[in-house]
Amino acid sequence: KRSDALQRALAQRSFSIDYQNNCFEKDGQPFQYISGSIHYSRIPRYYWQDRLMKMYMTGLNAIQVYVPWNFHEPVQGVHNFTGDRDLEHFLDLTNQTGLLVILRPGPYICAEWEMGGLPSCKAVGAWFAVLLPKLKPWLYINGGNIITVQVENEYGSYFACDYNYMRHLRTLFRFFLGEDVVLFTTDGNTDKEMTCGTLQGLYATVDFGTDTNITEAFKRQRHFEPMGPLVNSEFYTGWLDHWGDKHAAVDAKAVSKVLGEMLTLGANVNMYMFEGGTNFGYWNGADHDKRFRSVVTSYDYDAPLSEAGDPTEKLLAIRDIIFRDIPAGPVPPATPKFAYGFVTLKKVGNVSEFLKIFSPSGPVKSKDPLTFEEMKQPYGYMLYRTTLPRNLSEPTPLISPLNGVHDRAYVSVNGVYQGFLERDTTLVINVTGNHGDTMDLLLENMGRVNFGSKINDYKGLLSSLNLGKDALTDWKIYSLNIDGAIAEGWPHLQSSKSGPTYRREPSVGPAFYTGTLQPNGLNWDTFLKLHEWTKGQVWINGVNLGRYWPARGPQQTLFVPGPLLSTTLPNTITVLELEQAPPQLRVLFMDRPHLNITANKL
């Protein structure tokens, strides 16, 4: 009997497009969604429920979410849906909160995410055979809360314009999710993008921000979909930052005004982003227009909820629009913050001193350099070692003739730092040394391009370097598992055994520094400022917070989620500084972010 009642309940659940009345239809009634984008991959699991509740309190009835393929399949054939990657738990929390879901499973997502979520393999069918069956029970028509599913993402912006690829994806989605789910595409507000990104059988939607004529944009959608609901799948509440940019800002009044106008037209709107969150670890993407530009660690996006999940003036303005005809409930609260103050660090040593720890299997020997992909190391850092072929009696140019440094190389000779090479901008530096000296290049992958034609973004040394007129050959290439070593307690646990002897002096060149934040009974959110440090990476209690680069800006602080901190045990801080540490080896924990100071504008 129970199953009969369940069948009857499911039979009454429906979500479809009403082409007669130009709207969505949910359970037989006209339906308009007001949605916001949130990325579970950029927010610690501990805070998922908090953020979803704040979105619900603002008056949203839906959320839009990406599924980043490379977040769940780090190595081909190995899938991870646990912990911070537990997509079904996220969908369950969304359901419990009372929010519907607009799902964007890709396979490509853009999103300023590492290589647009694409791993280095092309096994889309195999990935969807794992992902989509997990999602089928979560479809609204099957008793879940997913109302629509996006096929691909802004495919019209890609140079290929391959309809067979889109047809193949449509077939896969229909095979795994059934014939009844509403499938849609999203594309930029131009004829070219809409033409290449749309396909019969997939409902075409558009995206645009506050600087666009709404009537014109929806007229363009109508050109591709004469009947059906008006949909802005990405209404931009803010924008992303690259290192060296001015911090993006979009006026709150402009956002609320245009939102109000769209809702009055009966349009369905998703705000991108509602909360941006953080590109922890190595997850930031990059753009390549005239040159390679890496996206910063903070994905604050000037969104209605800040990077740390706090309501902004923009959120209040949006909430006023949504609740303009009905009484509003309480305002979403902020999360408590704490300024833990200064922590002094000590130098552990240069990167090259710890190759046995980071690369226990030793180097791969090769006449020519190998890429990260050839070494099967997707992210982070690798070390390339060779010897000087002759005496350099005077400074001699080390040249990247084919712009093959992807993305930065920190160069040392016999442990003495010489400077760096940088993709597109610094292709030559002078070095000195003697015949047979060891030359090390620590290569940094700064995030793969996530948009446009340069998305096949290989990392490492892509071509040989020249020293004066000599081509450098005979490399030893070390794949470095720095994150693994730090997650297992290096250098803190080793220091009590026969570990590193700490040194107080700062240095130039890639080196590790460490310190401890003593517990004070609180584990509130905080912001880490690395004043006068140059560029590098930070770990707290073994977790990679992301990149810092205050010398370039605009981001000056890293968000530290409170749950990372222990209230009773010492909290370990590990810093990899790539260029130069400050004279005073200390960092500062503050109770507010600094995201908008551009130091050296390129």
Side-chain angles (χ1 to χ4, degrees), residues 289-310:
D289 29 39
K290 295 187 179 67
R291 61 182 173 82
F292 175 81
R293 297 189 303 147
S294 184
V295 173
V296 304
T297 304
S298 169
Y299 200 62
D300 177 85
Y301 214 82
D302 194 33
L305 282 171
S306 72
E307 178 182 13
D310 294 330

Side-chain angles (χ1 to χ4, degrees), residues 278-327:
T278 310
N279 294 312
F280 293 111
Y282 307 116
W283 287 118
N284 67 279
D287 282 298
H288 199 300
D289 29 39
K290 295 187 179 67
R291 61 182 173 82
F292 175 81
R293 297 189 303 147
S294 184
V295 173
V296 304
T297 304
S298 169
Y299 200 62
D300 177 85
Y301 214 82
D302 194 33
L305 282 171
S306 72
E307 178 182 13
D310 294 330
T312 62
E313 174 201 347
K314 191 171 287 177
L315 180 138
L316 299 178
I318 288 167
R319 185 170 164 275
D320 287 346
I321 292 291
I322 295 172
F323 287 116
R324 59 190 161 186
D325 301 322
I326 46 174

Side-chain angles (χ1 to χ4, degrees), residues 512-548:
F512 284 95
Y513 301 82
T514 186
T516 305
L517 173 65
Q518 293 305 327
N520 71 349
L522 292 178
N523 61 346
W524 289 3
D525 292 352
T526 186
F527 299 92
L528 180 61
K529 187 173 172 79
L530 291 109
H531 184 55
E532 292 187 340
W533 295 75
T534 312
K535 183 185 194 309
Q537 204 92 24
V538 188
W539 294 258
I540 290 194
N541 291 335
V543 175
N544 190 333
L545 289 183
R547 307 173 206 273
Y548 67 89

